[in-house]
Amino acid sequence: MKPSNSPDYANWIPQKLVTGLALTAALLSLLFGLSFLLPGGTLSLILRFILGAAALLMLVMFTYMARARKLLSYEGGGVQGKILDNVLRYLDWDGRGELLDIGCGSGALTIKAARKFPGARCVGMDYWGAMWDYAQTQCENNARLEGVTDRVRFQKGDAAKLDFPDGCFDAAVSNFVFHEVRTQPDKLALIREALRVLKPGAPFAFEDVFFSRGHYPDLEELIKTLSGEVAELRFMDTRKNDFVPKLLRTPLVAGEMGLLCGRK
Ligand SMILES: C[S@@+](CC[C@H](N)C(=O)[O-])C[C@H]1O[C@@H](n2cnc3c(N)ncnc32)[C@H](O)[C@@H]1O
């Protein structure tokens, strides 16, 4: 990735997804138009109906995702940055020592943490897979442009098996990562792994799609189990924060988010 003069935190809705939806909508619309050249009959009618409905659905999806991308973006609605600020608001930390950001993506939360806690050192880890428009060099460039290079470092790894010894961090954060981790389908095990690298009593704030039944089939049980394993645990329903516009409160974007915070 080329260094640039302003930080590049990318977008949780990748451009390639929006472009893909636009292209699919265009292709389906074309096929729908061409279906009128077919000879009449029930089969042609059914095909035309299916193509028309699919084209319309893709068009709606494209319009929604393009609008949501704009609202999330730092240049547009700025919602992405506000969601990250909110994670740090729930981290009850004095800023002394070292913080870990699990699945740091473009480094946005790691860098925000470094700016909020000027005495802290911050580590961002991610596996930087192909699915996202994120890279380690992008994180490093962002840290340089934000003037926090001396206190921030990034390293590649797997959230399911963190390359850090037990109890070595003074704080930990994570945002919208656990549900993405394919190497560990058991989300309780993933959270335990995140807690493993924290010192006893160290604060944490983990946001994820905790209201998604697909990823967290029994949230109550998860909270109950974790409550018995840490010194302090709170669960916050962050779906309806005022800074999240109604349009984004759908399962596709921010409609299933919640936050686990407390102390190990
Ligand atoms: C929705 S993005 C969120 C990025 C960042 N936390 C933020 O809030 O901007 C999900 C991130 O999880 C990372 N991720 C997915 N699986 C991972 C794994 N097994 N280990 C580490 N990071 C992972 C992806 O690379 C991606 O950066």
Side-chain angles (χ1 to χ4, degrees), residues 3-250:
S4 73
N5 293 328
S6 55
D8 169 18
Y9 291 118
N11 198 294
W12 293 336
I13 299 181
Q15 180 59 51
K16 56 190 168 198
L17 175 69
V18 178
T19 310
L21 287 170
L23 290 176
T24 313
L27 181 69
L28 286 167
S29 304
L30 180 72
L31 291 174
F32 175 65
L34 289 175
S35 71
F36 284 89
L37 301 176
L38 291 172
T42 317
L43 261 182
S44 306
L45 259 180
I46 293 173
L47 182 68
R48 199 174 302 153
F49 175 78
I50 291 173
L51 284 171
L56 189 67
L57 180 69
M58 280 301 141
L59 198 65
V60 171
M61 283 292 288
F62 159 69
T63 312
Y64 176 74
M65 285 306 200
R67 179 74 190 127
R69 185 178 149 85
K70 176 93 180 147
L71 286 170
L72 285 173
S73 74
Y74 288 85
E75 308 76 35
V79 175
Q80 213 167 287
K82 290 175 193 167
I83 289 176
L84 297 179
D85 286 335
N86 198 50
V87 173
L88 292 179
R89 209 167 293 143
Y90 284 105
L91 185 75
D92 184 14
W93 191 35
D94 60 8
R96 270 189 256 163
E98 195 164 44
L99 168 145
L100 175 67
D101 176 13
I102 300 164
C104 62
S106 62
L109 183 57
T110 325
I111 293 167
K112 271 185 185 290
R115 290 174 64 117
K116 178 164 180 176
F117 303 106
R121 282 167 286 118
C122 299
V123 180
M125 68 75 55
D126 200 294
Y127 87 137
W128 291 296
M131 191 181 149
W132 296 91
D133 296 334
Y134 303 140
Q136 184 170 350
T137 47
Q138 174 186 15
C139 293
E140 285 159 356
N141 196 39
N142 287 339
R144 184 179 58 75
L145 290 164
E146 299 277 17
V148 292
T149 305
D150 53 334
R151 295 184 293 111
V152 171
R153 69 186 166 86
F154 296 97
Q155 75 179 59
K156 196 172 174 71
D158 183 357
K161 202 172 178 311
L162 293 166
D163 293 326
F164 304 104
D166 295 358
C168 66
F169 286 100
D170 301 279
V173 290
S174 184
N175 187 66
F176 288 167
V177 174
F178 298 149
H179 72 283
E180 291 287 343
V181 175
R182 307 281 184 266
T183 42
Q184 178 53 280
D186 178 353
K187 301 307 164 200
L188 177 60
L190 201 52
I191 297 169
R192 280 180 174 144
E193 176 62 1
L195 293 169
R196 178 186 67 76
V197 300
L198 276 178
K199 291 178 182 162
F204 58 87
F206 302 142
E207 185 155 61
D208 199 21
V209 293
F210 287 115
F211 289 99
S212 157
R213 290 245 165 212
H215 294 101
Y216 297 93
D218 194 342
L219 179 61
E220 249 178 62
E221 185 58 32
L222 178 109
I223 294 171
K224 205 170 129 200
T225 307
L226 281 173
S227 299
E229 298 179 10
V230 295
E232 186 189 319
L233 187 79
R234 283 187 301 152
F235 179 75
M236 317 306 300
D237 182 345
T238 47
R239 291 175 294 183
K240 289 183 183 138
N241 284 314
D242 341 329
F243 56 81
V244 179
K246 282 211 172 80
L247 190 82
L248 297 185
R249 295 179 195 172
T250 68

